[in-house]
Amino acid sequence: MTLYSMKMRASRTENGKSEHISGAERILPESALIENAGAMIDRALHHAKGRADYIQVKIEEARTEEIGYVEALPVSTVETENAEEGRKAIISLLRKIGIENGDAVLRKFHETYNMRGAMLLDVDTLERLEPDPARGIRATYMDAEHGENRAACTVKNHFQEAIVLASKVSSAPHILAEICVSDDPGYVTGYVASKKTGYVRITRLKEKDDPNGGRIFLYRGSRNDVPKTIAYLEKKKILVKNAPASPSSMPSADPWRVLAEDIRRRKDSGLYRTIKTLESAQSAHVRAKGHSLLMLASNSYLGLIDHPRVKRAAAEAVQRFGGGSGGSRLTTGSLPIHDELESAISRFKGTEATLLFGTGYMANVGILSALGRKDAIIFSDELNHASIIDGCRLARARTVIYRHADMRDLEAKIRAVRPSFGVIVADAVFSMDGDVAPLPEIIALAKKYGLLSMVDEAHATGVIGKTGRGLAEHFGLKEKPDVVMGTLSKALASEGGFVSGRQLLIDYLRNTARSFIFSTSQSPATLAAAKEALAILEEEPERVARLQENTRAFVDALAENGVETSSESAIVPIIVGDEWRALQAANQLYDEGIFLSAIRYPTVAKGSARLRAAMMATHTEDELRAAAAKIAAVLQRLM
Ligand SMILES: *Cc1c(COP(=O)(O)O)cnc(C)c1O
């Protein structure tokens, strides 16, 4: 079988300077070339570092007899607490390989920082052997062996690529070992690799935020053989057998260590999450540890959670029907309030029928996995809620992600695949940005291409549109999206999810949505609370108006204090950028009596951390103005 070496390099020129965006290489059979080339190009065009404006793909034939096969080095991990411990770990590993002057070798390491490739170092004389010291040595022409049917992967597998490289390098003539430290300021794990020690990950080789990294190949042998070694590293085509795809695919002596390491990484990068406990109902003001706080993090937009009517309705339902519902409705039956609530939601949303789910999360997972049949394609906005993403993952359909609210991109992608059945899905109000989906265009595209349109109205119901009916009312549309999903947990002050639409849709989902079929339905208290909250919303639309006025007042007050934000809903994102800064700001505001959440990766993209303020109809404009001034002051201090 003939194989091909394929390499991609992508860069972007900004202010006359070319910046590397992404690079990849593979060794593949002909049958896998097109799909992998497509995946590589896709990655270059949608890279976190920016969109490449120059992409080079090079494909060369690699005849079977040219290819060498190497077994992957076994992987192990040494835990270190700081850079100094990491240094000692390297020296002790080098000693095992018969290198006694590890300390002197490491003193050369800083010379690698500005090199493009690796340093080739005579381990005994400490002479550098690269013909071009600025370029260094580039180990290339290698891949993990995948057999015939390798799937194209749009995400780079850094772990596997590192092992492939280290396995090739260690198999080169006269190379004793390789030392590698990443130049990614956020990545502090490095490795020492050699035939004798295997691939040894060292969990901390440098301090966090250090942008310096490099690579040294340690050589011991005759000067005459140096060209042979370089030719092997740079030219010989190597396939690495049995390279593990992730640290978790290796057997581990201690499974708990895998979890502990994950937690440590989260703590290091400001991504570790904890939960605060409140001692009062979720209203405009809450109590925590005896202090009163202004609540700017609640989704109870209309302030109905502790409304006397809501509490009474829940209590009466418990008196009459007890604690739980006893099972799935298909096997155990419905309570009258299930049917009453479904009718009330249909009336409110102006649809034929409604189906309830245990939560909004379960509604999305159930709807999308059921509509996402094998022959379907789901078109999903890149900023959609995690429950939509998970629904797409559970669906057998393929998912195509379109750029946030970008209708040209959406249409181009629909045209490219022309599905016979498919769904366009978007958050009505995007939960971390507070902007709204372009519904008229989404409905028009769905019609034009014979697709279903679906919106998630979790943050729209009770919030946008003059009477809080959601996105269609917001745009003044007569026509509704085909699938209207929502939750009872936000403005409706309870819990549970729903989907509304044609009777045919509801009949289909009742028979196919697994999170509906195989899960116990909501309890009497939550059903009754939601039903009563919906009744209050319909009777008192002035609550929606107050909420909308509050958002305007808050955004204006932030602007007066020099903080620019915008919002089309009740969610006001205050972009901070840095994860640590966002977390510190939230903590300081908490100490000053404001409860506000810091939203970080993976909920939003890395480097776009933010404070997310959520308005309530029950806040007063004065307290919102005071809060805006405090927020601005804290951000100023943390500059
Ligand atoms: C909160 C939310 C959900 C999930 O609803 P729950 O009832 O909390 O499970 C789904 N979609 C969006 C956009 C949300 O914000």
Side-chain angles (χ1 to χ4, degrees):
M1 181 179 61
T2 309
L3 294 174
Y4 293 84
S5 146
M6 177 159 73
K7 293 188 184 187
M8 186 275 292
R9 297 196 71 75
S11 58
R12 169 170 194 82
T13 304
E14 209 118 18
N15 306 325
K17 252 186 67 192
S18 166
E19 193 207 354
H20 175 75
I21 297 272
S22 141
E25 66 169 299
R26 299 261 181 268
I27 297 176
L28 298 164
E30 185 186 333
S31 58
L33 277 179
I34 308 266
E35 199 187 344
N36 276 275
M40 281 183 188
I41 293 167
D42 192 55
R43 194 160 84 205
L45 290 175
H46 301 109
H47 200 278
K49 279 194 201 160
R51 193 180 176 80
D53 61 7
Y54 183 80
I55 303 171
Q56 192 184 34
V57 178
K58 186 169 82 174
I59 298 173
E60 298 164 76
E61 191 178 274
R63 283 191 311 279
T64 318
E65 62 272 20
E66 289 178 89
I67 295 176
Y69 288 83
V70 165
E71 194 65 33
L73 293 173
V75 182
S76 61
T77 302
V78 173
E79 296 276 344
T80 51
E81 286 299 323
N82 52 46
E84 180 50 27
E85 278 186 25
R87 209 179 64 87
K88 287 190 183 141
I90 296 180
I91 292 171
S92 114
L93 282 163
L94 292 181
R95 205 166 283 134
K96 280 192 202 155
I97 306 165
I99 300 170
E100 293 300 333
N101 60 343
D103 205 27
V105 168
L106 285 182
R107 260 181 272 131
K108 298 285 282 184
F109 205 86
H110 70 273
E111 292 176 31
T112 65
Y113 290 164
N114 294 316
M115 294 172 64
R116 277 174 284 152
M119 178 190 288
L120 184 65
L121 189 69
D122 185 308
V123 69
D124 301 306
T125 65
L126 297 185
E127 251 175 292
R128 293 178 56 173
L129 306 174
E130 324 87 75
D132 175 350
R135 178 182 176 278
I137 306 294
R138 283 241 172 103
T140 174
Y141 288 109
M142 62 210 163
D143 196 357
E145 189 191 34
H146 282 269
E148 269 284 343
N149 301 317
R150 167 190 201 131
C153 185
T154 45
V155 242
K156 203 173 168 74
N157 187 337
H158 292 278
F159 179 75
Q160 189 174 60
E161 284 179 16
I163 290 186
V164 165
L165 185 137
S167 301
K168 175 177 180 181
V169 171
S170 313
S171 70
H174 305 298
I175 295 292
L176 284 188
E178 175 196 355
I179 306 168
C180 175
V181 180
S182 167
D183 60 5
D184 179 342
Y187 197 74
V188 296
T189 300
Y191 67 80
V192 169
S194 74
K195 275 203 226 63
K196 215 173 199 142
T197 59
Y199 179 100
V200 186
R201 304 167 69 225
I202 300 171
T203 55
R204 205 173 249 270
L205 272 186
K206 63 177 189 180
E207 297 310 336
K208 193 177 155 291
D209 295 332
D210 181 350
N212 291 317
R215 203 186 279 283
I216 300 188
F217 302 151
L218 297 175
Y219 181 94
R220 179 175 279 162
S222 149
R223 265 325 118 80
N224 296 334
D225 289 342
V226 169
K228 216 163 67 190
T229 297
I230 294 178
Y232 182 94
L233 291 166
E234 296 199 329
K235 298 274 163 54
K236 176 75 184 167
K237 300 182 177 79
I238 296 290
L239 277 173
V240 175
K241 292 169 171 289
N242 304 315
S246 71
S248 57
S249 64
M250 315 176 302
S252 164
D254 177 5
W256 295 108
R257 206 183 62 195
V258 176
L259 309 192
E261 212 185 301
D262 179 284
I263 291 292
R264 215 221 27 231
R265 259 200 306 274
R266 285 170 198 273
K267 288 187 171 164
D268 281 354
S269 43
L271 298 175
Y272 185 70
R273 293 157 180 243
T274 55
I275 299 177
K276 293 196 172 78
T277 302
L278 303 180
E279 294 139 11
S280 63
Q282 278 262 336
S283 47
H285 296 266
V286 294
R287 290 192 77 72
K289 296 200 185 124
H291 296 282
S292 173
L293 294 149
L294 178 70
M295 175 46 101
L296 287 184
S298 176
N299 296 321
S300 178
Y301 296 116
L302 299 174
L304 294 176
I305 279 184
D306 58 350
H307 193 288
R309 274 174 64 185
V310 172
K311 291 198 277 194
R312 201 176 323 119
E316 281 169 7
V318 170
Q319 285 303 329
R320 186 157 164 222
F321 297 110
S325 71
S328 162
R329 287 164 73 189
L330 288 175
T331 48
T332 322
S334 293
L335 295 168
I337 19 178
H338 282 113
D339 301 331
E340 289 159 19
L341 179 55
E342 285 178 342
S343 303
I345 295 171
S346 300
R347 220 172 30 243
F348 182 70
K349 289 287 183 186
T351 55
E352 284 175 20
T354 292
L355 185 68
L356 291 169
F357 288 79
T359 65
Y361 181 93
M362 290 168 66
N364 272 333
V365 163
I367 298 164
L368 288 162
S369 59
L371 291 177
R373 305 152 59 94
K374 208 163 90 192
D375 51 350
I377 297 201
I378 303 172
F379 298 92
S380 175
D381 188 290
E382 66 180 340
L383 293 189
N384 276 344
H385 189 260
S387 55
I388 293 180
I389 296 170
D390 292 359
C392 294
R393 285 184 185 159
L394 270 181
R396 301 215 281 160
R398 194 174 128 208
T399 303
V400 174
I401 310 288
Y402 64 89
R403 261 182 255 129
H404 176 52
D406 184 338
M407 294 295 105
R408 279 179 50 193
D409 188 48
L410 172 58
E411 180 160 21
K413 285 179 171 155
I414 297 173
R415 277 170 171 280
V417 286
R418 289 269 178 185
S420 55
F421 179 83
V423 189
I424 304 172
V425 57
D427 281 16
V429 168
F430 288 88
S431 52
M432 296 303 142
D433 293 76
D435 57 336
V436 304
L439 184 62
E441 290 87 349
I442 288 177
I443 291 180
L445 282 178
K447 280 217 139 62
K448 183 169 171 189
Y449 293 99
L451 306 170
L452 296 176
S453 54
M454 167 170 170
V455 292
D456 171 342
E457 301 223 274
H459 299 283
T461 302
V463 177
I464 62 171
K466 194 156 180 296
T467 59
R469 279 175 165 71
L471 197 56
E473 187 184 28
H474 173 84
F475 281 108
L477 299 181
K478 284 226 175 52
E479 196 161 12
K480 309 271 173 331
D482 298 305
V483 185
V484 177
M485 172 274 168
T487 175
L488 307 174
S489 63
K490 288 165 184 166
L492 294 177
S494 179
E495 66 183 39
F498 66 85
V499 57
S500 297
R502 289 189 194 197
Q503 188 64 52
L504 173 61
L505 172 76
I506 302 308
D507 290 343
Y508 175 76
L509 291 174
R510 197 190 310 109
N511 283 278
T512 54
R514 294 167 65 84
S515 61
F516 171 78
I517 301 172
F518 296 106
S519 185
T520 298
S521 72
Q522 292 155 278
S523 64
T526 59
L527 291 163
K531 187 172 153 245
E532 196 63 21
L534 181 57
I536 298 172
L537 163 57
E538 288 193 83
E539 287 162 33
E540 302 173 9
E542 60 273 17
R543 286 180 179 268
V544 180
R546 271 230 51 92
L547 176 63
Q548 293 169 353
E549 280 158 26
N550 276 352
T551 307
R552 259 190 306 277
F554 184 67
V555 169
D556 289 350
L558 282 172
E560 279 160 28
N561 287 283
V563 179
E564 287 307 321
T565 56
S566 72
S567 174
E568 297 173 273
S569 61
I571 297 163
V572 182
I574 303 164
I575 309 287
V576 177
D578 181 71
E579 277 77 22
W580 280 105
R581 200 170 148 235
L583 190 62
Q584 268 181 307
N587 288 339
Q588 291 184 17
L589 285 164
Y590 185 86
D591 293 337
E592 296 193 21
I594 296 178
F595 193 110
L596 193 64
S597 41
I599 309 286
R600 290 157 288 162
Y601 176 82
T603 310
V604 295
K606 266 202 183 122
S608 76
R610 63 199 59 183
L611 299 174
R612 175 183 179 277
M615 303 293 106
M616 294 171 78
T618 42
H619 288 134
T620 68
E621 286 193 16
D622 283 346
E623 65 197 10
L624 289 175
R625 280 206 199 89
K630 272 190 192 170
I631 291 166
V634 163
L635 290 178
Q636 189 68 34
R637 248 185 281 141
L638 288 170
M639 271 308 214

